[in-house]
Amino acid sequence: MWLTQILDRNRRWRGEETALVDGRGAVTWAELDERVHTRAGALLALGLGPGDRVLLLAPERVEVFEAYFALARIGAVAVPLDPLGPTEEAATVARHTNASAVVADLSAATWAHDLGVPLVLDLAGPWGGTPELPPYQGTWPLVRPDDPLAVMHTSATTGRARGVVWDHRSLMQVCLAWSAAAGPAEGATLVNCAPLFHSSVAMSFAYMAAGARIVLPRAAAPQPTLEAVARHRATHLWLDPESLRHLADAARAGDHDTGSLREIVYGGAPLPWEVYRAAARVFGCAFRQAYGAAEAGGHFAMLAPHEHPSADTAPEVPPVLGAGRPLPGVDVRVRRPDGSEAATGENGEICVRSDSLMRGYWGEPRATAEAMRDGWLHTGDLGRTDETGHLTLGGRQIDVITSSGRDIHPAEIERVLLSHDAVADTAVVGRRDSAHGEVPIAYVVPVTAAARPTPDELSRLLSAELAGHQPAPLITFLDSLPRNRSGKVLKTLLRTMAEEH
């Protein structure tokens, strides 16, 4: 289907150009097509076919893309998981999806044999332990646009992860919408710092569809990323805001050639003003934000480079970097709790309608019905729009704290705390309270331990910036916030910490 059409097209048009690079080598589009052809034929010979679920447990390397393409070619369903995640979680997903096989880096994930999956294949070796098969000569299975392509699991920042079912049409819509709005230039090279088991992998496919070369750093860390940018003269970079923070610090402290960068694309979490300003000054390139959700097929809104404020200004009140405008083919509405459409500038739940929406949560019809109503995805994100359709986020609906009958939005408190020069990171959660129902707890990471602000200092700042009826949060300092590999704060863990303290 469409994913393999990307491969067919680029093999014909740019066969000898490099398609993928990782820390071990590179493959051209012609080589990638040949390897995918062999892999797909081997999968069919092993008895796999349309609709079979196949777990992917591997680090960021070329073979993961090969697996995505090969599974798509035979109509099988990829179920990517974090190879560094708990074994119990992988076993649970294997049972829940009734997986037929697992493709894993067996040199690292030796426990893949313990998942109870019938067929265990080594990502780097001849799949299934069989000798390399001759090129497949048969007819490929018929794969339709609405056939399932992948089960992408949510980040589980607020609870249990759910399996989001993408079909082939969903990925096509996301990639075409991004290309129409961002217009990746001919000859682009994207350094992908995002995990390949996450819905953010859609960004790499969008750039591959435009013929871009994808580079995977040898490790998910600032130094290897900067080395990859310099070595491959990368034009684009894709990462989360927390990674951007550390990357800018490393680039400022060392001598790195990043002059080839034209755009830094970021997403997965809001980008604090100070992180953006520091990164913009260090790299001197354009910035583009992607906002989305796994349930929406990935990204569905974009803040274009010209919509970012100048990093050279020093505003008295740091601006909020909005989520931008919907991509082509995407409708976004902000709705009140009763389902009616919110007025311009009024906060409500962000709802999305497009051909990129998920088919549902795997094996969870009730949860699917709650999220998908009348053709609209209810994201659980809060936000508002202005007269031009520009979207500004206001946090997660589940994160709203109700104290003495009033709603407190953690994102507002976090924004003010981050405006303090001595605050590097922060997250606000609610803790149960017998008198008020809930009270806010602010976890704060100082820039340095020596220059740590006092709780009274931060409380005065909040009192000056926020409505007086909001109770001041209890300030607790941490060395770092717990985050998943996609850079999102694990507020479930912070809530547990808040209850225990």
Side-chain angles (χ1 to χ4, degrees):
M1 200 42 231
W2 188 76
L3 188 58
T4 52
Q5 288 172 1
I6 294 176
L7 194 54
D8 295 338
R9 178 177 182 271
N10 286 330
R11 174 183 57 80
R12 290 189 175 94
W13 285 17
R14 53 186 94 242
E16 300 310 310
E17 296 178 16
T18 301
L20 293 168
V21 182
D22 63 15
R24 299 163 303 111
V27 296
T28 66
W29 284 105
E31 291 169 338
L32 179 61
D33 180 68
E34 182 180 354
R35 290 163 68 161
V36 169
H37 190 103
T38 300
R39 298 287 197 192
L43 291 172
L44 288 175
L46 291 166
L48 296 174
D52 286 329
R53 276 76 64 198
V54 178
L55 302 186
L56 299 182
L57 284 166
E60 282 64 51
R61 49 193 284 184
V62 165
E63 288 89 350
V64 177
F65 280 103
E66 291 178 14
Y68 273 115
F69 281 113
L71 293 170
R73 178 151 284 170
I74 69 168
V77 183
V79 186
L81 295 173
D82 186 355
L84 302 179
T87 305
E88 297 79 8
E89 182 177 299
T92 298
V93 171
R95 290 191 298 271
H96 183 59
T97 60
N98 193 24
S100 300
V102 55
V103 176
D105 178 3
L106 296 181
S107 64
T110 56
W111 46 267
H113 290 282
D114 302 325
L115 297 179
V117 176
L119 188 61
V120 179
L121 309 176
D122 189 352
L123 183 80
W127 285 358
T130 61
E132 287 289 355
L133 298 173
Y136 180 69
Q137 301 297 327
T139 302
W140 296 114
L142 176 63
V143 182
R144 296 177 176 83
D146 57 355
D147 285 340
L149 168 72
V151 179
M152 311 297 295
H153 282 78
T154 57
S155 298
T157 55
T158 56
R160 181 176 60 83
R162 286 195 163 106
V164 175
V165 182
W166 288 358
D167 58 26
H168 290 258
R169 191 193 316 275
S170 170
L171 183 63
M172 178 180 70
Q173 168 65 24
V174 165
C175 293
L176 293 180
W178 183 265
S179 295
E186 189 77 14
T189 294
L190 173 76
V191 173
N192 174 63
C193 300
L196 300 183
F197 62 84
H198 187 264
S199 61
S200 56
V201 72
M203 186 65 73
S204 288
F205 287 126
Y207 280 84
M208 292 181 85
R213 173 175 55 167
I214 306 298
V215 176
L216 305 174
R218 57 181 173 82
Q223 198 64 29
T225 299
L226 292 169
E227 291 172 359
V229 170
R231 180 180 179 185
H232 300 286
R233 306 299 298 160
T235 58
H236 294 71
L237 184 62
W238 168 228
L239 76 177
D240 64 82
E242 183 65 11
S243 297
L244 179 59
R245 178 201 303 274
H246 298 304
L247 193 72
D249 290 343
R252 188 167 44 244
D255 183 16
H256 302 279
D257 181 5
T258 60
S260 61
L261 282 176
R262 297 201 298 263
E263 280 188 7
I264 291 178
V265 186
Y266 64 92
L271 179 63
W273 163 255
E274 287 303 323
V275 177
Y276 162 69
R277 185 169 67 172
R281 288 175 172 175
V282 169
F283 296 111
C285 64
F287 283 74
R288 191 182 298 273
Q289 180 183 174
Y291 164 58
E295 291 89 340
H299 36 274
F300 62 80
M302 173 198 295
L303 185 69
H306 71 273
E307 296 175 304
H308 283 70
S310 171
D312 295 327
T313 60
E316 183 175 335
V317 179
V320 177
L321 296 175
R325 295 179 176 83
L327 293 174
V330 178
D331 288 329
V332 172
R333 297 288 185 272
V334 177
R335 300 193 183 280
R336 303 183 180 103
D338 64 4
S340 60
E341 188 170 340
T344 299
E346 180 184 358
N347 281 315
E349 184 181 12
I350 298 170
C351 300
V352 183
R353 182 175 62 184
S354 81
D355 285 341
S356 68
L357 298 187
M358 68 174 180
R359 293 183 56 169
Y361 294 115
W362 183 272
E364 297 190 66
R366 181 174 298 178
T368 299
E370 290 175 358
M372 305 278 289
R373 284 172 260 162
D374 298 325
W376 290 85
L377 168 69
H378 292 247
T379 66
D381 286 345
L382 299 174
R384 63 183 184 277
T385 57
D386 64 13
E387 295 81 0
T388 67
H390 188 279
L391 186 63
T392 299
L393 304 184
R396 292 284 293 169
Q397 195 170 47
I398 195 173
D399 292 338
V400 173
I401 300 164
T402 302
S403 184
S404 300
R406 296 180 181 271
D407 286 345
I408 299 172
H409 295 268
E412 295 181 12
I413 300 175
E414 292 162 358
R415 175 183 59 80
V416 175
L417 289 173
L418 284 170
S419 71
H420 195 289
D421 292 339
V423 174
D425 207 0
T426 186
V428 177
V429 298
R431 184 179 70 186
R432 288 175 294 180
D433 181 80
S434 58
H436 302 285
E438 285 184 293
V439 293
I441 310 294
Y443 289 98
V444 175
V445 178
V447 173
T448 63
R452 191 173 82 175
T454 66
D456 286 345
E457 185 181 348
L458 296 179
S459 294
R460 288 195 299 272
L461 174 65
L462 290 167
S463 297
E465 295 290 336
L466 297 178
H469 67 261
Q470 294 200 12
L474 173 67
I475 306 293
T476 300
F477 292 99
L478 296 176
D479 293 333
S480 63
L481 296 179
R483 293 178 180 271
N484 63 17
R485 289 185 61 198
S486 302
K488 293 185 178 180
V489 176
L490 297 172
K491 288 200 170 183
T492 301
L493 295 182
L494 293 181
R495 291 191 186 95
T496 300
M497 289 170 56
E499 295 295 338
E500 292 175 348
H501 291 168

